[in-house]
Amino acid sequence: MKAKGKIKVEQEFCKACGFCIEFCPKQVLALAKVYNLAGYYPVELVSEDCTGCGICGLVCPEACIEVFLDQS
Ligand code: SF4
Ligand code: SF4
């Protein structure tokens, strides 16, 4: 059984530093095309392949990524 992950990005707090994009082993993160109120293009999940490993949440200096694991 393959665990599936999901993330929630608090888009208004993202500063678009790109750490999560760089460290995601599945390369499923990218900057959005629409900017937030602070003028940054926040990160979003762009594929179904997130494993829920949690690395993005750990490396985010703004602590704006929450990771969920769906074991079903
Ligand atoms: S939980 Fe892991 S696989 Fe999913 S987006 Fe974050 S770093 Fe990538
Ligand atoms: S690490 Fe955090 S602040 Fe940096 S781009 Fe990713 S979500 Fe945004």
Side-chain angles (χ1 to χ4, degrees), residues 4-36:
K4 277 281 232 183
K6 245 194 238 164
I7 64 161
K8 182 169 176 281
V9 181
E10 206 56 71
Q11 302 226 324
E12 292 308 325
F13 295 118
C14 174
K15 298 258 167 56
C17 68
F19 287 165
C20 57
I21 296 173
E22 192 170 323
F23 284 96
C24 171
K26 301 298 281 183
Q27 300 283 288
V28 293
L29 298 172
L31 296 183
K33 296 199 166 44
V34 180
Y35 52 81
N36 63 16

Side-chain angles (χ1 to χ4, degrees), residues 38-59:
Y40 297 107
Y41 292 93
V43 153
E44 61 184 10
L45 193 62
V46 293
S47 137
E48 301 277 293
D49 292 340
C50 171
T51 60
C53 71
I55 292 173
C56 55
L58 286 173
V59 299

